[in-house]
């Protein structure tokens, strides 16, 4: 085994004492900091290919060195043409996996263009490999296009491919890594994101100064000597020197402020153009910073779980007046990594044809006989996953946010995991918005218009005999189906039954369409308060309140 050991400044070979768990270092092959080193036997000699970080002006992705020997244990003789690829000569020079032999020809795998870990795979056919000569040409490397785009397993980058022929000689097997999260670890991403936020703050202050909305002159009284008792740590000369430096700094800042202050007249046509351009830059930088801070997700490739897969079904309820929402909804969310299929609960009007919905996963339209909010939780034997994401068709959020919520649900599959928290308390109970819950620092409900749940548990509870009167109340008010489900979960458990995950951003498209049932907020809240009173009489109180920022990953801040 020849693991990466470039930080030790050498290339080491390990021998198995008890394969595959126990190893011992056998010898140092080369005293050079090599990365992505591979050994292959071809046309007689053994060949060692790697990138030498000790070479002058080394660029990790753009240099390749070769050694040869009659034994894999060495001694290794450098190739006459080292460095084979020099800076700027070729992309893909750094190895991206073991070479392989096909039809008598040697093929080398290289890392494509990108950062330290590469963003793609390139394959080269080695035409000449001799101790004093090396020549290769790139050949097409084709991998089926992932329909989910950047949310696919290798949507962001991939940098390693290993293909080997099976003993039967008929088939080949390949192993390839992939990453759906942009490059950079969490610390790097947070640092970059907050730096961009700092740029936004500086631009806001600069814009405020340029249009005269912010006074950039600092008062000189800030640097006047204080009259309190002299500190024992500084003598008079030291204090005077510090005050002098402070006054000089404030004076220079005030001069700079006077130079930029009021330089743009935002009432003129030209001034308005300047302001609009800066505002657009602010929006773009803010969005990029938010992406770095909240980017990445908990998505995993689907794996078997008790005969089912670790994906979820996205379920939405809609009708004919919201068809334009639905088309955008399906096209966007079908590309999210863990979405297996989409179920559209059609409550009213002529349902769309399947061809009208652009999706990369199967879409099933379930036409209901009655226009009822209870249809959201109808028992459905055709749902193949344990997890269901109930999501209103007018809510748009990022796939990363969806994946984070799914990751939290996998940690707590017995709970409702949602994105819109509410706190119901008092006597009688009163329904309030999210702002109230945040002011109190806690919540005890999550709206099921954007929530993960175990449909086998949730839907059965909703259609149980105990919930029959509650369902009748939902139909009479045409409201409160999510409030009822929260009470049913609370009635079945003594522990916390809900958990909140904060999305980076979410847009309520109903504000643009005007077809939301809750567009009259006060009336909507009044009806929900009535539901709270009735449900609390039938099902008791809600469970103990949960607090914001109680998760270790801060996804509920």
């Amino acid at each position: 085994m020849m693991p990466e050991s470039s930080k030790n400044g050498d290339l080491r070979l390990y021998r198995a004492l008890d394969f595959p768990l126990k190893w011992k270092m056998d010898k140092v092959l080369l005293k050079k900091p090599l990365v992505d080193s591979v050994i292959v036997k071809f046309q007689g000699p053994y060949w060692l290919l790697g990138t030498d970080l000790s070479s002058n002006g080394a660029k990790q992705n753009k240099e390749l060195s070769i050694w040869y020997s009659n034994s894999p244990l060495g001694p290794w003789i450098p190739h006459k043409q080292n460095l084979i690829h020099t800076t700027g000569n070729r992309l893909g020079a750094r190895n991206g996996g073991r070479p392989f032999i096909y039809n008598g020809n040697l093929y080398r795998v290289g890392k494509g263009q990108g950062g330290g870990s590469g963003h793609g795979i390139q394959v080269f056919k080695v035409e000449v490999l001799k101790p004093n000569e090396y020549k290769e040409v790139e050949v097409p490397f084709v991998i089926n296009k992932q329909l989910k785009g950047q949310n696919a397993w290798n949507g962001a980058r991939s940098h390693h491919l290993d293909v080997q022929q099976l003993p039967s000689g008929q088939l080949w097997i390949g192993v390839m890594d992939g990453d759906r999260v942009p490059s950079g670890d969490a610390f790097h991403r947070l640092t970059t994101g907050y730096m961009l936020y700092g740029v936004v703050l500086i631009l806001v202050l600069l814009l405020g100064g340029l249009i005269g909305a912010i006074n950039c002159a600092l008062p000189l009284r800030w640097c006047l000597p204080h009259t309190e008792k002299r500190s024992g740590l500084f003598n008079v000369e030291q204090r005077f020197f510090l005050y002098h430096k402070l006054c000089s700094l404030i004076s220079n800042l005030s001069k700079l402020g006077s130079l930029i202050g009021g330089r743009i007249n935002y009432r003129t046509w030209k001034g308005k153009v300047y302001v609009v351009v800066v505002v657009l830059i602010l929006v773009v930088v803010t969005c990029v910073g938010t992406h770095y801070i909240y980017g990445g997700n908990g998505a995993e490739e689907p794996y078997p779980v008790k005969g089912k897969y670790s994906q979820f079904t996205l379920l939405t309820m809609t009708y004919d007046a919201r068809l334009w929402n639905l088309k955008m909804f399906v096209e966007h969310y079908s590309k999210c990594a863990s979405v297996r299929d989409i179920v559209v609960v059609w409550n009213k009007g002529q349902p769309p044809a399947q061809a009208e919905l652009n999706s990369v996963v199967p879409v099933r339209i379930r036409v209901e006989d009655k226009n009822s909010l209870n249809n959201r939780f109808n028992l459905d034997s055709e749902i193949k996953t344990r997890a269901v994401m109930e999501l209103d068709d007018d809510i748009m959020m990022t796939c990363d946010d969806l994946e984070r919520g799914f990751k939290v649900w996998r940690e707590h599959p017995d709970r409702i995991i949602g994105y819109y928290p509410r706190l119901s308390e008092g006597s009688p109970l009163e329904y309030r918005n999210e702002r109230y819950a945040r002011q109190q620092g806690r919540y005890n409900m999550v709206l099921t218009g954007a929530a993960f749940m175990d449909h086998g548990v949730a839907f059965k509870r909703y259609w149980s005999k105990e919930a029959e009167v509650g369902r009748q109340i939902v139909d009479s008010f045409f409201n409160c189906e999510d409030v009822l489900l929260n009470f049913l979960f609370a009635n079945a458990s003594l522990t916390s039954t809900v958990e909140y995950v904060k999305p980076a951003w979410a847009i309520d498209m109903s504000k643009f369409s005007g077809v939301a049932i809750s567009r009259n907020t006060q009336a909507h809240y009044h009806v929900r308060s009535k539901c709270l009173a009735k449900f609390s009489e039938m099902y008791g109180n809600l469970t103990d309140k949960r607090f914001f920022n109680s998760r270790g990953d801060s996804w509920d801040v």
Side-chain angles (χ1 to χ4, degrees), residues 134-148:
Y134 181 81
K135 183 180 179 182
E136 66 179 21
V137 293
E138 185 177 0
V139 296
F141 171 66
V142 181
I143 185 169
N144 290 339
K145 181 181 179 182
Q146 299 293 320
L147 296 177
K148 298 210 174 190

Side-chain angles (χ1 to χ4, degrees), residues 64 78-86 131-135:
L64 176 69
H79 195 278
K80 299 297 182 182
Q81 290 183 336
N82 281 350
L83 300 166
I84 302 299
H85 296 312
T86 55
N132 59 353
E133 187 178 0
Y134 181 81
K135 183 180 179 182

Side-chain angles (χ1 to χ4, degrees), residues 406-420:
F406 185 40
K407 185 176 188 298
V408 174
W409 180 85
R410 291 197 300 267
E411 298 169 359
H412 306 286
D414 57 329
R415 301 179 186 177
I416 304 175
I417 310 298
Y419 297 85
Y420 293 95

